[in-house]
Structure formats: C-alpha cells, structure tokens
Amino acid sequence: MAITIRAKRVSYGLVELKDNGPSSPRYAIYVNGQIKEISDNLDFMIQTFDQKYY
C-alpha cells in the first residue's frame, strides 16, 4: 500500500508524492490518480514535485 509523502491542490487537480514501499521504482508522483513520474531517488522526486507541479 502506497503512503502519501506530500500532496497539494493545484489548478488542474490533486498532486501526490507517494512511497510505494519495497516495490521498484519506489516513489511516484500522481496527478489526479494517474502516475506522471516514477523514480527510486526520493531527493529527485521531491525536487520535481516542488518545481514542476504548481
């Protein structure tokens, strides 16, 4: 089960950064429930979440 690390509402919906646990790739960014970005690098995903989705 995925755990939400960060979430925010933007003009086009809900953006969530989730930890998918032991599966690989581990981290994913969802926009309105659909996966948009995936990576095993949490730092990269946080940076992408903060800069790309606003």
Side-chain angles (χ1 to χ4, degrees):
M1 183 172 170
I3 298 169
T4 302
I5 299 172
R6 291 187 179 186
K8 61 182 166 182
R9 285 235 171 253
V10 292
S11 61
Y12 47 87
L14 178 64
V15 180
E16 299 173 287
L17 172 57
K18 294 187 178 186
D19 180 344
N20 293 320
S23 64
S24 184
R26 183 166 183 173
Y27 305 102
I29 294 176
Y30 293 79
V31 176
N32 295 323
Q34 294 185 323
I35 293 177
K36 296 296 181 181
E37 311 271 346
I38 54 174
S39 177
D40 282 322
N41 185 330
L42 179 58
D43 291 332
F44 171 75
M45 293 301 280
I46 290 172
Q47 181 179 7
T48 301
F49 179 86
D50 290 339
Q51 293 179 355
K52 188 173 180 181
Y53 298 97
Y54 55 90

